[in-house]
Amino acid sequence: MHETVATIDGVSRMSNCIGSIRKRSAAASWCAVLIATFILAVMCGPTGAQEPSWEPVKGHIMTRWAKDVSATNALPEYPRPMMKRESWKNLNGIWEFAMRPKGEASRPEKFDDHILVPFCVESALSGVKKKVVETDMLWYRRRFDVPKAWASRHILLHFGAVDWETTVWVNGKEATHHRGGYDPFSIDITDMLKTSGPQEIVLSVWDPTDKGLQARGKQQIIPEGFMYTPSSGIWQTVWIEPVPSSYIRSVYTEADIDENCVWLTVDAANTNDGYTIQAHTLLPSPGEKAGTIPVVAESRAGQRLRISLPDEPKTRLWSPDSPFLYDLEVTLKDRAGKTIDTVDSYFGMRKIEVAKDSDGINRLFLNNKPLFQFGFLDQGWWPDGLYTAPTDEALRYDIETTRRLGGNMVRKHVKFEPQRFYYWCDKLGILVWQDMPSAVNHREEMKRQFELELKRIIDAARNHPSIVMWVAFNEGWGQFDAPRIARWIKNYDPTRLVNHASGWADRGDFGDVRDIHLYPEPGVAPVQANRAIVLGEFGGIGMTVKGHEWRQGKGWGYSGSGDDSDLTNAYLQRIRALRPMIRLGLSAACYTQIADQEIECNGLMTYDREFLKVDADRTAAETLNLYDTPPVVKTVLATSQVVPQTWSYTTEKPGEDWYKPGFDGSAWKTGPAGFGDFNPTHPTLIVSPRTRWTSSDIWIRRSFDLDDTDLVAPHFLIHHDERAEVYINGKRVLNLPYTSNFYTWLPLNREMLKTLKTGTNCIAVHCHNKHHPQYIDVGIVDILPPNRATGSGSKAKDGWTK
């Protein structure tokens, strides 16, 4: 530890002093020794010259990686792989720490505790694990040495992330004041450093969490339900690095696979006319011969630089199946051509867009080809580190598990991760939908701060080829000016998709996708002219595992499952249901979720990542089918999602035989489904009702014709809010006591199929509602293999049968 070095230096100086004192008289020497011992105790603290003790705070479950964390190896990896320098110094480790009332503006006279940086105050791995409220101020202090070899260089101090409002002092001088809990920030501290001896950093951090104005995602001072323990203070790596007086501040690459080139933008500090930027990348040699081919491009500093790739060897595109990355070396040179600064980076040749397939349906295209995206909601909490994964291996593990289960995408949910998370997604081939951490306060100050942090987060992450979508708002959480925000993001970063609202609070035809949330069953919204249809959340099947719970007996999910075999079957049932939805326009789906989060036990892994709740082989095999040609969906009885379908209906209780084919319904009214009582302009609606229904009960019926009953895999499509009973030809086939959020796909079993007949059939439905809003509509489809020709189908250009 660097802290130890400073302490040992202090002990050495005091020992010399004590040695000279011994030459005096015995009485005088004894007094001097007592004085020196007292001074030594003050300098070294209560543990003397020993390193301050640290151990994780017990009381909750821990991950297997917690045992690998110590005071001397807390996240030792270089934290910024996208722009790496050879020389750097990690300041993670034991820092002095104190919590004081916010009203005490001055720094503490005494730091009475220690904390393991970069773990947040509330975490077990910090060694503190204390609750932080809005009236607390957090104080950190760290002493460090600057290597002598850096003497002629500028020194940059970097913070990966500190939550939330931070003031930094270096050797007693205020260095910066920063607001933002997720974005990295840096300071040139050169002019604040002493010429020799240990340097001192002091931080004050105020984090009001849900009592403040800031974006904070799912952090809540009193965690409950799907809101979790906060992560206050430093929660990402702190480090220093030397740079020359003129240096590279940032590197931004923009791949253009259609032009077979990469555009490079470099921001350099303190440059003059005549300074140049040189980019150097190596291409793998074609054929069997090993080796590389250099590609070099150069331009004046400040200009956008084009790096043209040759036709041979053929450019390797980045994708989940082949996440190839090109190494990139960027060099800043002065007027004489002398190298001033060099950083190592990388890029991926990747293109993401919404385009129409051969059926005219908007799809998500990767590298000019449609690719169905499937993966998991990834919220990024850990039982021992909370916002901070205990090790780099742990950070990588969730991404590897996503791949193991067949996924090609994660939705990083209302949290922005350390840079190494996206590095591993780049390396392992995982597409990322990146949420902006949400806020719930609508004051103008909050809105300005939100937009500032949004820009900083995009700037920090826009180099990563894995990130393919920016999600501005989760549902309606803190949502404001969503269309304007979506337009701004698209203009600022046109290389990625924009999702202005994931779930419910859709504001119309803005952004690239129409994103719906449904629990627990999946569904697909009607296709749109300008946006692709995606399912941003579904599933959430709960299952607790004894011994792996955050709070024993308090776990919950959106629906329940008994054991791992039950969960596997329930999960696969929902995955299979996605395949026909792809045919109808579904372009992506995100299951909730990859791992349990505190008491939310609907993950496919337990919170400690010790127990995988599903059969990995069966899950992967079924998931991989999602990327193949989807089945044919043949309409048997149409719903009113797209074209209105006429039903007879009444809201007055009919006669007892109302559901039978021979019933006289001539006194009933007629109207198009769906029947309901929604505001058709409400942003949470996926489809709007066509006939108003406001009472507690409604009875509807209609007839439909079948040429034959040789159906392959028939399913009901039913949207019912709330309880519903369905009859076919006088026999009850469905009794649904719960509410569906949207059109649920329910298979017809053998007994149900027996109720159908060739010729005219009668379907009758009763829906009962106690709580508004309300809705009812029903249809039937048949799902056929993709290569099966039907009388109503024709071959599409891509080989699919419509």
Side-chain angles (χ1 to χ4, degrees), residues 89-353:
K89 186 173 184 177
N90 197 332
L91 298 186
N92 291 345
I94 299 294
W95 289 47
E96 294 176 88
F97 178 74
M99 286 179 62
R100 296 289 186 269
K102 184 176 182 292
E104 296 181 9
S106 60
R107 60 185 281 179
E109 293 184 5
K110 180 182 179 183
F111 287 76
D112 46 19
D113 206 345
H114 291 87
I115 188 169
L116 182 61
V117 169
F119 298 103
C120 68
V121 176
E122 296 90 343
S123 70
L125 288 178
S126 71
V128 177
K129 199 177 182 181
K130 291 181 179 178
K131 184 176 182 177
V132 179
V133 298
E134 71 275 15
T135 57
D136 291 326
M137 183 69 81
L138 311 178
W139 290 89
Y140 296 77
R141 182 169 64 185
R142 173 75 154 87
R143 293 185 177 91
F144 67 97
D145 291 314
V146 177
K148 293 180 180 179
W150 299 1
S152 62
R153 315 278 278 176
H154 282 232
I155 306 300
L156 302 182
L157 171 62
H158 301 284
F159 293 90
V162 184
D163 196 5
W164 175 68
E165 185 173 64
T166 306
T167 304
V168 182
W169 292 267
V170 176
N171 293 324
K173 301 175 183 177
E174 183 172 331
T176 195
H177 183 80
H178 180 83
R179 301 177 91 194
Y182 299 90
D183 56 299
F185 60 100
S186 303
I187 318 154
D188 186 337
I189 61 172
T190 309
D191 293 339
M192 304 171 194
L193 296 177
K194 297 185 293 185
T195 56
S196 62
Q199 316 289 336
E200 180 192 68
I201 303 172
V202 172
L203 268 71
S204 69
V205 184
W206 177 58
D207 182 22
T209 310
D210 51 310
K211 306 299 182 182
L213 302 176
Q214 76 267 35
R216 40 98 178 183
K218 285 197 170 186
Q219 300 180 76
Q220 187 166 290
I221 291 176
I222 302 177
E224 58 184 348
F226 51 68
M227 304 300 286
Y228 316 129
T229 305
S231 293
S232 302
I234 299 172
W235 66 276
Q236 290 188 31
T237 292
V238 185
W239 83 103
I240 57 174
E241 65 177 347
V243 296
S245 57
S246 298
Y247 64 93
I248 297 170
R249 267 196 296 235
S250 68
V251 172
Y252 171 51
T253 56
E254 182 180 330
D256 187 338
I257 70 168
D258 298 320
E259 294 294 328
N260 200 31
C261 71
V262 179
W263 291 97
L264 174 65
T265 303
V266 176
D267 178 25
N270 308 319
T271 59
N272 299 312
D273 291 341
Y275 278 62
T276 59
I277 295 293
Q278 186 179 86
H280 185 274
T281 187
L282 295 175
L283 307 182
S285 298
E288 299 179 357
K289 186 178 180 180
T292 56
I293 300 173
V295 174
V296 180
E298 189 168 341
S299 73
R300 287 186 299 172
Q303 288 187 335
R304 194 165 177 244
L305 172 63
R306 175 178 173 134
I307 307 172
S308 296
L309 302 181
D311 294 333
E312 290 293 335
K314 186 177 180 181
T315 298
R316 297 182 63 176
L317 303 182
W318 185 96
S319 71
D321 287 339
S322 179
F324 185 81
L325 298 171
Y326 289 91
D327 290 331
L328 178 66
E329 183 184 81
V330 181
T331 301
L332 174 66
K333 296 185 175 184
D334 65 13
R335 294 178 181 178
K338 180 182 177 182
T339 296
I340 301 298
D341 190 20
T342 299
V343 296
D344 292 327
S345 186
Y346 63 85
F347 63 88
M349 295 297 290
R350 189 270 297 141
K351 177 184 178 182
I352 187 75
E353 64 180 332

Side-chain angles (χ1 to χ4, degrees), residues 395-537:
L395 188 69
R396 175 176 172 163
Y397 184 77
D398 283 5
I399 303 167
E400 291 176 324
T401 302
T402 295
R403 291 307 309 256
R404 179 185 175 196
L405 297 178
N408 63 14
M409 173 268 286
V410 297
R411 178 181 167 208
K412 180 48 66 175
H413 191 37
V414 294
K415 179 194 177 188
F416 183 60
E417 289 283 6
Q419 295 289 313
R420 293 193 66 85
F421 174 85
Y422 305 102
Y423 165 75
W424 285 121
C425 290
D426 294 342
K427 293 278 286 184
L428 299 175
I430 285 291
L431 305 167
V432 179
W433 298 7
Q434 179 59 55
D435 287 14
M436 174 62 188
S438 54
V440 295
N441 191 301
H442 288 85
R443 289 169 55 181
E444 288 303 316
E445 183 182 357
M446 183 283 294
K447 294 178 182 179
R448 290 192 298 271
Q449 181 66 27
F450 179 92
E451 293 185 51
L452 176 63
E453 292 186 47
L454 171 63
K455 180 181 181 299
R456 289 172 176 171
I457 284 174
I458 293 175
D459 287 341
R462 64 191 302 181
N463 260 2
H464 293 279
S466 57
I467 299 178
V468 295
M469 184 186 297
W470 300 118
V471 183
F473 298 100
N474 176 63
E475 300 176 350
W477 296 12
Q479 189 187 117
F480 67 94
D481 298 344
R484 178 180 64 82
I485 297 293
R487 287 191 295 266
W488 179 86
I489 295 174
K490 194 67 175 181
N491 182 66
Y492 191 63
D493 182 10
T495 69
R496 290 178 174 84
L497 306 177
V498 176
N499 183 347
H500 80 264
S502 181
W504 302 121
D506 186 79
R507 303 296 170 180
D509 195 11
F510 301 97
D512 295 297
V513 298
R514 170 66 165 108
D515 187 335
I516 64 174
H517 292 178
L518 299 172
Y519 285 102
E521 308 298 335
V524 54
V527 295
Q528 294 193 347
N530 299 315
R531 296 189 292 175
I533 304 301
V534 303
L535 180 60
E537 294 180 25

Side-chain angles (χ1 to χ4, degrees), residues 380-394:
W381 250 269
W382 301 84
D384 36 29
L386 297 181
Y387 250 20
T388 310
T391 67
D392 195 56
E393 181 184 357

